[in-house]
Every structure is written in structure tokens, then in C-alpha cells.
Amino acid sequence: FGSELTALDEENGGLALLLAGPLSRRRLLLERLAALLVGCAALAVFVFALLALWNAAFLAGLSYGVLAAACANLGLLAFFFGALAAFFGCHSGRAHLSRDLAIALMALLFLANLLPGFISGASALRPISPFHYYAGADPLINGVDLADALILAGGALVLGLAALLRFNRRDLGI
């Protein structure tokens, strides 16, 4: 969804129609980023409901507070990558390219978090990965580390602001 915030409308010509009215670029992107955030929150609530049902059905004994915190952290991770895809979409104006770049970077960042467990000396890679801040403190065991959650939220905010700055200054060709 993040890759299509503005890029899909730009590709199909709908962005020109949207921006022909009194709607500013800034307001359009901020409203769509807010919709992305609501979608990520809905995803987190849905995953929490499924995990709560699983926890009750199989008597897993996990605290519902820990489950809720881990799912909220999942929503932050989803918003981070959605904002990353939105940045690429605002930069390129091409939805497929922005989606593919975001997925490729997501895979590389996942490997940056995973490789230090297998390769000695690669531990310097782990802090650059948002997956480290999502699962590094074992949220289902220890709960979510507030500092890690703030880093994810701050990273998503920075990416959203970068998308906004790029979208405001780029010649859209419409």
C-alpha cells in the first residue's frame, strides 16, 4: 500500500485530477500516510485477535499484554516499511519500482539482522535493521522494549517526512 500512496495515481493520471482541486500535495500525502498508519494498526489488531484465540484455544499461557505489545510493535514495523515504500514512490513516481525497491531493501535488512547469528564479526550489521528493533528484545518473552519501539516509530516518521519533502519538490510531470 505504501508504494501506491502517490505513485499509482501518478502513473494512471489520477494524480493530476486530485491536485487540480484545492487539495495540496502535502495534505494528500499526509492523509494517505495516516490511512497507511490506520491500516497497519488494523493489521496489528487482527493479528492480536488471532494470537489471542490461539493462546486461549491451546492454553499457551502467554500474557495478553505481551501479545498486544508485540502486535503493536508489528504494526510499527509494517508502518516503517510502508513509509519506506511511500518514500520510493514519491521519489520515482512508479508504483512497481517503489514496491520492488522496498521489498529488496526489506530482504537486505532482514539478512542484516539474521547474519550476525551465523557469521562472526557481522554483529555491526544488526543495529541497521528495523527487524532488530522489532524482535531483538524477544517481545513475546520480555515484552516490547520502549526504546526499540520509539526507534521504529521515529524511523517511520523520518521516512514519511522524507517522502513529503520529496513529493513537494519533485516535478510530477502531470
Side-chain angles (χ1 to χ4, degrees), residues 5 22 27 31 34 37-38 51 55 72 75 77 82 103 112 128 136 141 150:
L5 286 183
R27 181 173 173 195
E31 286 178 356
L37 183 60
V38 168
L51 288 176
N55 192 34
L77 182 70
I103 289 171
I128 67 168
I141 297 170
L150 288 174

Side-chain angles (χ1 to χ4, degrees), residues 47-121:
V47 171
F48 172 74
L50 289 178
L51 288 176
L53 287 173
W54 177 84
N55 192 34
F58 296 105
L59 302 172
L62 294 171
S63 161
Y64 290 103
V66 170
L67 279 177
C71 290
N73 214 23
L74 174 66
L76 285 175
L77 182 70
F79 187 61
F80 178 89
F81 283 112
L84 178 68
F87 170 74
F88 287 142
C90 288
H91 181 73
S92 69
R94 298 178 56 206
H96 294 294
L97 177 65
S98 61
R99 182 198 63 221
D100 294 345
L101 285 172
I103 289 171
L105 192 54
M106 184 187 325
L108 288 173
L109 290 171
F110 182 76
L111 285 175
N113 186 53
L114 186 67
L115 287 179
F118 298 105
I119 300 173
S120 63

